[in-house]
Amino acid sequence: MTAYVGAIAPVIPTPHIEYGLLSPMLLVFGAAVAGVLVEAFAPRALRRSFHLALTLGGLAGAFVLTIAVAVDSSVFGGGAAGRIAAEGAVGVDRPTLFIQGTILVLAFVSVLLIAESSHEVSAFAAQAAAVPGSAEEREGLVAGISHTEVYPLTLFAVGGMLLFPASNDLLTMFVALEVLSLPLYLLCGLARRRRLLSQEAAMKYFLLGAFSSAFFLFGVAMLYGFSGSVNLAAIAAAASGNTGNAVLLYAGIALLGVGLLFKIGAVPFQAWKPDVYQGAPTPVTALMASCTLVAAFGALLRVFYVAFGQLTWDWRPAMWAVAIVTMLGGSIIAITQTDVKRLLAYSSIAQAGYILTGVIAATTAGLSSSLFYLAAYGFATIGAFAVVTLVRNPAGEADHLSSWAGLGRRSPLVAGVFALFLIAFAGIPLTSGFIGKFAVFQAAIGGGAVPLVVVGAISSAILAFPYVRVIVLMFFSDPPADGPVVVRPSVFTTSAVAIGALATLVLGIVPEPLLRLAHDAATQLFVR
């Protein structure tokens, strides 16, 4: 009986895994697992040091491996667009490597803020003690994250972000979506002060994210019913061959689009963004506003360029509508905001609309301009949130705009740097924001979306008003008697602000190197 069963049992081939191509992601996930072991077994006094070295080292090592994979002739030799790895589950190509490299650099800078936040309980104690007031008021100056498990959670989230835009089938993409989302739900609730607001934000993000994941999974089911596969290339082949039920195809595109548009915070799927940005610890908000946005747009680009690249006339009208309401909704509602983090949240919503104009172009120029915009906006965003962590009042971070009045007189350097980031968001020349908007709008014009560019220009003019209002408030208003305290940053926050400001200026004055890199990454589009 045993011999008979053995004779008819099928031989399952050993899967072939290209570990070299996957090495950046594997290193980040390995560092995350090692971080869990550090959290479990390392002495409490040494955990932070171990975590910091492991996290920054893992991200830096993964970035080096990403460069090594990109320059490897076996990956892109002979003009090849890229390679499929892990039995077709992962695509390693030039746009994906550009996105992954951007995520790793932005995550590295974000971890500097997280390191500052987790250390400031002791680092700012001496400064807080020198401030007049009660012990409770002095404690408000210290608003950091006191949990060292923030480091492995961050690494797990970054690992999911790296896999998300590289996924070559929808099931792998769904797994990556959950891997990047679940740690972020936890990170949002780790604020040391304002715990109720932070936990409320985490719960809202979790519930809305669960609905979004359900829509995504229903879309996967519909597309599987249409094509008989979850592979992006197979879906594209079935769509171009008009095989299957068209109702399943269009329902799958719509449901899948809801899940992806939720992660980028496009209207009308943006409801979570202002509350989460306001309630989450500011360093975590910086991580989400930069890295998560890059990863989500990377996945959106891969899905709509690879699986639905032959259906641009079908999905572009709906995407037009989403881009228009996103640009106008984010800019108009930003005018009414009195909380600086909510203002930046609505600014992020509007910026997502601008990047969507590049996506809608569905051309090489659209892809390259979107890649450049994501990198430029990411650096400015981290720098802006890094400045927010420095301005404090007895209740914690000085989020209300009234607390920023006269900041230019109390701390001209901090106010000047924050003004630089604001004018970059507004798209003023000689900043990275101007080059990014010019690039995506030019690509949209080349793709025949001139009315969309007109709406984008109107939205940009509207969005400039709240930015100018903050600048006027900082430099042309009298500071209140009980004005905020600008804490002296350590090397971590100083580095984050400096990197953000330098990138904003350099990419605005000398954007050619990054533009050329983005163009080279986009010339081959995504591997199928």
Side-chain angles (χ1 to χ4, degrees):
M1 184 66 178
T2 304
Y4 176 74
V5 173
I8 64 173
V11 178
I12 300 176
T14 303
H16 180 65
I17 306 297
E18 295 80 358
Y19 291 102
L21 298 178
L22 304 177
S23 56
M25 290 179 284
L26 294 177
L27 178 57
V28 172
F29 281 123
V33 173
V36 174
L37 298 178
V38 169
E39 189 66 25
F41 299 108
R44 183 177 297 274
L46 299 177
R47 284 180 191 173
R48 180 181 176 277
S49 299
F50 287 163
H51 277 307
L52 191 56
L54 184 64
T55 304
L56 293 178
L59 294 173
F63 181 72
V64 172
L65 289 175
T66 301
I67 296 176
V69 172
V71 301
D72 187 357
S73 60
S74 65
V75 178
F76 303 124
R83 289 175 58 185
I84 300 298
E87 298 293 329
V90 177
V92 182
D93 47 45
R94 290 177 179 176
T96 299
L97 289 172
F98 183 96
I99 293 168
Q100 289 180 335
T102 302
I103 292 171
L104 289 168
V105 173
L106 296 177
F108 187 94
V109 182
S110 298
V111 169
L112 295 177
L113 280 183
I114 293 173
E116 174 79 76
S117 183
S118 65
H119 180 60
E120 66 182 356
V121 173
S122 59
F124 292 151
Q127 297 181 54
V131 177
S134 65
E136 182 179 356
E137 291 176 333
R138 290 195 299 268
E139 187 184 359
L141 299 177
V142 181
I145 304 172
S146 57
H147 307 275
T148 53
E149 60 266 28
V150 65
Y151 295 101
L153 287 174
T154 299
L155 285 174
F156 277 119
V158 172
M161 294 174 193
L162 297 178
L163 181 59
F164 198 34
S167 302
N168 199 49
D169 67 63
L170 295 178
L171 282 183
T172 303
M173 187 171 288
F174 176 74
V175 172
L177 174 63
E178 296 305 301
V179 171
L180 77 89
S181 297
L182 292 175
L184 291 177
Y185 300 151
L186 296 174
L187 289 171
C188 288
L190 294 182
R192 182 171 178 267
R193 306 282 293 175
R194 302 188 307 172
R195 290 181 180 176
L196 291 179
L197 183 62
S198 178
Q199 292 169 3
E200 178 187 352
M203 183 58 66
K204 289 179 179 178
Y205 190 25
F206 170 73
L207 292 177
L208 293 175
F211 281 112
S212 169
S213 298
F215 278 111
F216 186 95
L217 202 54
F218 274 120
V220 173
M222 295 290 181
L223 292 172
Y224 180 79
F226 167 77
S227 65
S229 174
V230 294
N231 183 271
L232 297 181
I235 294 172
S240 61
N242 293 321
T243 61
N245 189 337
V247 175
L248 292 178
L249 173 63
Y250 295 128
I253 294 175
L255 293 170
L256 200 67
V258 169
L260 294 172
L261 291 171
F262 172 86
K263 296 306 294 184
I264 68 174
V267 177
F269 315 107
Q270 87 297 345
W272 63 274
K273 243 185 182 182
D275 292 337
V276 173
Y277 278 32
Q278 181 184 19
T282 303
V284 174
T285 305
L287 176 72
M288 295 172 58
S290 57
C291 299
T292 304
L293 187 70
V294 175
F297 262 107
L300 183 75
L301 287 164
R302 176 175 287 277
V303 168
F304 280 88
Y305 277 45
V306 175
F308 311 135
Q310 306 298 322
L311 303 171
T312 54
W313 287 102
D314 297 289
W315 57 260
R316 283 183 72 184
M319 200 68 78
W320 267 59
V322 172
I324 289 172
V325 297
T326 299
M327 289 186 290
L328 292 179
S331 57
I332 293 173
I333 301 177
I335 297 176
T336 66
Q337 300 307 304
T338 57
D339 184 281
V340 65
K341 292 173 72 174
R342 294 182 71 89
L343 171 61
L344 293 176
Y346 282 105
S347 170
S348 175
I349 292 169
Q351 304 295 336
Y354 303 143
I355 302 174
L356 280 175
T357 62
V359 176
I360 290 170
T363 60
T364 299
L367 177 57
S368 64
S369 62
S370 299
L371 295 178
F372 176 87
Y373 202 122
L374 289 169
Y377 174 71
F379 283 111
T381 299
I382 294 177
F385 281 107
V387 174
V388 171
T389 63
L390 298 177
V391 185
R392 303 288 174 82
N393 59 27
E397 291 175 351
D399 293 336
H400 199 277
L401 290 180
S402 61
S403 299
W404 291 66
L407 184 65
R409 302 182 185 181
R410 290 179 177 269
S411 182
L413 180 60
V414 172
V417 172
F418 192 65
L420 170 65
F421 295 129
L422 292 179
I423 64 176
F425 295 149
I428 303 301
L430 300 182
T431 64
S432 59
F434 171 77
I435 301 298
K437 284 184 180 180
F438 181 83
V440 294
F441 288 167
Q442 186 180 46
I445 292 173
V450 177
L452 199 62
V453 175
V454 174
V455 175
I458 295 173
S459 171
S460 298
I462 296 173
L463 193 59
F465 174 77
Y467 298 145
V468 173
R469 182 182 62 180
V470 175
I471 295 174
V472 170
L473 191 66
M474 290 191 298
F475 289 98
F476 300 101
S477 299
D478 295 326
D482 56 345
V485 174
V486 178
V487 296
R488 186 173 63 254
S490 73
V491 65
F492 297 116
T493 299
T494 301
S495 300
V497 173
I499 292 172
L502 185 63
T504 300
L505 287 174
V506 170
L507 294 179
I509 299 173
V510 191
E512 183 62 26
L514 187 61
L515 283 172
R516 186 184 303 111
L517 186 62
H519 176 75
D520 292 342
T523 50
Q524 300 291 348
L525 292 179
F526 289 97
V527 65
R528 296 177 180 268

